[in-house]
Amino acid sequence: MKPIVLLMVSIFVLAVPSPGDTATAPRASCGGYRLITSIQGAGALAERTLAIYRARTLARLDSRGEIETACVDLSGDGRPELIIQTYTGGAHCCFEIFVYQLQPVFRRLLRFQAGNAGGFEVHHLNGRIVLELGDDSFAYFSDLCYACSPSRLPMAACYRDARFVDCTNQFPQLAPPFISAYTGRLKEAMRFTDDSRVDYMRGAALGLYAVYALVGKPGEGLAAVSRITKEATVLRWLQAQRAAVQQRLAKRGSYLKP
């Protein structure tokens, strides 16, 4: 997996304003467009607004945390797009990731609500440019607690026919880190001694199975879980969830909204 080198622009405050004051962070640019952030308040309560403009302001995005941006060609036309991550605040949420086309016309290509699975990476895989996002759509699956849930799965977004689509099943090289993570979580949960043990095992087993299913290998996912644990209640539960897992995975493309 060869990551593309990105122009990463994090907006930092150079001087801490007094509560109620507004400060302006250093300007940055992407594809001829200016990016400038204003900061209202201070510390953990600070709120940021990023303005994108050329001759006039074209978009404004608000965030209660740092605003992360990258300037990189995602469409393959040789012109950079602008990727922006904001955080709106709240428990177990609310990261949003936006992609803006800058040339030949300014328009939004993607708004992805990442929930608590914030962060993004851009890769060059199999000759394609891939935007890797975090998917938390399995949080609270089948009444699992949030901590028990597989609350982050890989989501590969590819730009095709003027929109982003879920292309994760074409890039199995994204799966190994997640397989390793959920394998570790399952083994750890097996050592628990309190009443939550089974739920944590179910969540980890679900995550492991779902990652394999994402790349078209659900049978290998079941086999991987079975090699780690023989706990009958967990294996029966996972077998019973297979159809629901496939339905949930089939909906992922609808989360990539323009």
Side-chain angles (χ1 to χ4, degrees):
M1 186 187 306
K2 181 182 180 182
I4 290 177
V5 176
L6 306 182
L7 169 63
M8 296 297 298
V9 184
S10 294
I11 308 299
F12 295 103
V13 186
L14 296 185
V16 178
S18 301
D21 291 348
T22 300
T24 300
R27 294 180 179 180
S29 64
C30 179
Y33 287 75
R34 289 183 173 182
L35 316 176
I36 187 166
T37 291
S38 57
I39 301 95
Q40 180 74 35
L45 299 177
E47 297 186 2
R48 294 163 173 78
T49 298
L50 171 66
I52 307 167
Y53 68 98
R54 205 164 193 176
R56 59 186 176 83
T57 300
L58 296 169
R60 291 184 183 274
L61 298 171
D62 297 321
S63 181
R64 294 187 181 180
E66 297 295 339
I67 299 175
E68 300 293 335
T69 71
C71 185
V72 63
D73 178 13
L74 293 174
S75 61
D77 65 358
R79 294 176 290 206
E81 279 74 43
L82 175 63
I83 310 171
I84 304 169
Q85 177 175 274
T86 64
Y87 174 67
T88 58
H92 302 150
C93 67
C94 298
F95 289 97
E96 289 189 299
I97 295 171
F98 302 84
V99 175
Y100 286 90
Q101 173 187 283
L102 304 176
Q103 300 290 346
V105 296
F106 181 88
R107 68 188 179 103
R108 193 176 75 195
L109 301 180
L110 176 66
R111 180 182 183 181
F112 178 69
Q113 294 179 314
N116 202 49
F120 61 86
E121 293 185 62
V122 179
H123 305 286
H124 192 277
L125 302 173
N126 305 349
R128 300 285 303 276
I129 300 171
V130 178
L131 176 62
E132 183 185 351
L133 305 168
D135 169 27
D136 82 336
S137 61
F138 279 79
Y140 303 111
F141 183 90
S142 188
D143 294 327
L144 290 171
C145 69
Y146 185 85
C148 308
S149 306
S151 52
R152 186 182 182 90
L153 295 173
M155 165 87 84
C158 297
Y159 192 71
R160 291 181 186 158
D161 301 322
R163 66 184 302 269
F164 281 94
V165 297
D166 178 13
C167 54
T168 313
N169 62 352
Q170 298 177 34
F171 304 103
Q173 56 267 62
L174 295 176
F178 293 87
I179 290 173
S180 177
Y182 285 113
T183 296
R185 281 182 55 174
L186 180 54
K187 291 179 178 179
E188 181 182 17
M190 291 169 63
R191 296 192 292 268
F192 290 177
T193 57
D194 58 25
D195 293 341
S196 64
R197 176 177 180 272
V198 170
D199 279 347
Y200 276 94
M201 289 181 65
R202 285 174 174 172
L206 173 64
L208 185 55
Y209 172 78
V211 174
Y212 275 99
L214 274 173
V215 294
K217 299 178 179 179
E220 290 188 24
L222 282 176
V225 172
S226 298
R227 283 194 299 270
I228 298 168
T229 179
K230 303 300 181 185
E231 187 99 16
T233 55
V234 172
L235 296 175
R236 284 197 301 267
W237 178 86
L238 185 59
Q239 285 278 8
Q241 305 304 320
R242 294 181 68 182
V245 170
Q246 290 301 139
Q247 291 171 4
R248 184 72 57 93
L249 294 178
K251 291 176 58 178
R252 295 195 337 150
S254 65
Y255 307 145
L256 298 172
K257 299 177 180 179

